[in-house]
Amino acid sequence: MKKAVGYIKVRKDRVNSQLNQLVVEGIKEICKRNNWELVQIYQDKVTRRSSPKKESRKLFTDMNVNNSADVTIIFCFGEYVIYGPNEIDFVLMEDLEIADKVEKELLILSLKNA
């Protein structure tokens, strides 16, 4: 069984949001679909766009030094990017079971920010 890790960069004020929890669920769903063991999910909590943070540095150290996983799943711009030693793949949010819940949360978020 392949081992997988996930990475999410999330705004500090949205760490506990339903949307962030759904992104985490998406990583878990991808692992379950592919029969991968999810070792850890790294989350950088940020206040602005900037250089790599603590968790992303820890992720790269764990992957390069400790060889902790075979696959890395990163959530970026509304889709999941899967990096493996011999593969790069993409999974769109709408291809997951959580898609309807995500759409609802995005609508609520856009209404709050309107």
Side-chain angles (χ1 to χ4, degrees):
M1 175 183 286
K2 284 186 179 181
K3 292 183 178 184
V5 294
Y7 176 77
I8 303 166
K9 182 176 174 182
V10 60
R11 284 182 20 188
K12 281 185 179 183
D13 62 336
R14 294 192 180 153
V15 170
N16 295 318
S17 71
Q18 179 66 23
L19 187 56
N20 189 52
Q21 296 306 314
L22 288 168
V23 169
V24 169
E25 287 302 313
I27 291 173
K28 291 177 181 178
E29 184 179 332
I30 290 168
C31 289
K32 185 176 178 181
R33 280 186 181 184
N34 290 286
N35 197 30
W36 297 337
E37 176 190 352
L38 180 58
V39 177
Q40 184 171 350
I41 296 177
Y42 300 84
Q43 283 195 65
D44 272 325
K45 298 157 185 90
V46 299
T47 54
R48 60 184 172 89
R49 294 180 187 173
S50 61
S51 60
K53 299 291 185 187
K54 180 182 173 184
E55 289 298 303
S56 58
R57 288 191 297 269
K58 188 175 184 307
L59 165 69
F60 290 119
T61 298
D62 286 352
M63 293 298 289
N64 293 327
V65 176
N66 302 328
N67 200 21
S68 63
D70 305 298
V71 176
T72 304
I73 305 166
I74 299 173
F75 182 76
C76 183
F77 299 113
E79 65 185 14
Y80 296 89
V81 183
I82 303 169
Y83 295 98
N86 300 314
E87 65 183 315
I88 295 178
D89 198 5
F90 300 90
V91 176
L92 300 176
M93 185 68 77
E94 60 259 20
D95 293 336
L96 299 174
E97 291 178 18
I98 61 170
D100 291 338
K101 293 178 185 176
V102 170
E103 277 187 42
K104 178 183 174 185
E105 288 303 314
L106 288 173
L107 176 62
I108 291 169
L109 186 61
S110 68
L111 291 173
K112 284 181 181 178
N113 294 326

